[in-house]
Structures are given as C-alpha cells and as structure tokens.
Amino acid sequence: MCEYCGCQSLKPIDELTREHDEVVRLISHLRTAHQEGGVARMAEIAREIARVLGPHTEVEEHGLFPALAGDFPDQIAALEAEHRRIEVVLAEAADGVTPADPTWPDRLMEAMAMLRDHILKEQDGVFPAALANLSTEEWEAVEATRARAGSTLPQPTA
C-alpha cells in the first residue's frame, strides 16, 4: 500500500491504513473459504470485516470526507456509494446468519473486489489529498470522530 507521501505519519491516516491492512488480510481468508465452499466460514469473516469497517467508515464519512467534499464532491460521493454497496452485501451475514441465497458467496466476493479497489483509491488518492488540503481544525475534527467511533484494532505499541 501507499507510503510515498508521508500521510501515514499522521495518526488518523495511520489508523485508517491499519484498518485497511486488516480488511485486506481478512479478504485473503475469505478467498480461501470461498474456494473451499465454506459459506458459514465466509459469513463469519464477513461479520469480522463489517466489524472493522464500522468505526472505519464512520471516521471517513463523518471526519475525513466532509473536509474533502468541497474540493472533490464527485469522488467523495462515489466513495460513499461504494461504502453503501459493500455494506449491503456484508449485512446479509449480520447477527450470526449464514445467508441461504446461493448467489451470496459470489456477490460477497464481487463486493470484496470492489473493496480492494476502494482501499487503493483512498490510500493513493484520498489520504494524500487530505495531507495536502486539511487544516489543523479539520484534522482535529477527524481525530474527534475517531475518539467517538473507536477502533476494533489494538493500538500499536511505541
């Protein structure tokens, strides 16, 4: 993933990037479960991905994206639309349910391919744009959103 612009030196971007890394790791497990025909395992992993993405998406949509929407309205709207499409497929496995729809495993894999592309757009476009464009006050708003949303990942040790 991206490391060329230095945006990961900022704590809010580092946290979002670590969440992206965890989602990519989980997607790799999802691929294995899909190849093995393990729909119940796929549902478990989908719930874990949704758990990581919950606070992650909140930080993006209520902290980072509003600060960028004025300069990049179409791009931010497209990213938010992708969030909704991904959430719909993940939600089918919510509450411990293993979806009975035979099309769900393939739809989930399609959504995860979209998610991987989405992550690249954020890391190669949104995060560097945020580094270049956000004011101190806007970064403080992103950090306040993170404080409210929390994270499912352990904090790195210094």
Side-chain angles (χ1 to χ4, degrees), residues 19 22-30 42-57 86 90 108 112 115 152:
E19 288 165 340
E22 176 63 7
V23 167
V24 169
R25 185 187 73 77
L26 290 166
I27 290 171
S28 73
H29 294 295
L30 195 58
M42 290 179 73
E44 288 175 26
I45 297 166
R47 286 188 288 279
E48 185 64 19
I49 291 169
R51 188 177 74 80
V52 173
L53 288 178
H56 176 91
T57 301
I86 292 161
L90 290 172
L108 178 63
M112 294 302 98
L115 180 54
T152 61

Side-chain angles (χ1 to χ4, degrees), residues 2-140:
C2 162
E3 294 180 5
Y4 61 87
C5 71
C7 61
Q8 291 176 7
S9 65
L10 291 170
K11 186 177 178 185
I13 298 300
D14 179 60
E15 290 173 333
L16 291 168
T17 300
R18 287 187 324 106
E19 288 165 340
H20 282 166
D21 292 346
E22 176 63 7
V23 167
V24 169
R25 185 187 73 77
L26 290 166
I27 290 171
S28 73
H29 294 295
L30 195 58
R31 284 190 187 120
T32 301
H34 185 250
Q35 290 167 348
E36 295 171 354
V39 178
R41 178 70 180 129
M42 290 179 73
E44 288 175 26
I45 297 166
R47 286 188 288 279
E48 185 64 19
I49 291 169
R51 188 177 74 80
V52 173
L53 288 178
H56 176 91
T57 301
E58 186 173 337
V59 171
E60 288 180 343
E61 292 191 357
H62 298 285
L64 193 60
F65 288 0
L68 294 168
D71 292 327
F72 308 100
D74 295 338
Q75 293 88 344
I76 297 301
L79 291 169
E80 289 177 336
E82 289 174 354
H83 283 173
R84 301 294 82 78
R85 289 196 301 271
I86 292 161
E87 289 167 347
V88 164
V89 178
L90 290 172
E92 292 180 54
D95 301 323
V97 172
T98 298
D101 179 350
T103 69
W104 181 77
D106 289 335
R107 288 187 298 110
L108 178 63
M109 296 311 294
E110 289 169 12
M112 294 302 98
M114 178 193 309
L115 180 54
R116 286 201 43 110
D117 289 342
H118 177 94
I119 287 169
L120 293 174
K121 290 177 207 171
E122 290 180 348
Q123 292 198 182
D124 293 344
V126 173
F127 296 171
L131 178 65
N133 290 291
L134 268 62
S135 67
T136 300
E137 294 78 20
E138 290 167 326
W139 282 116
E140 288 171 353

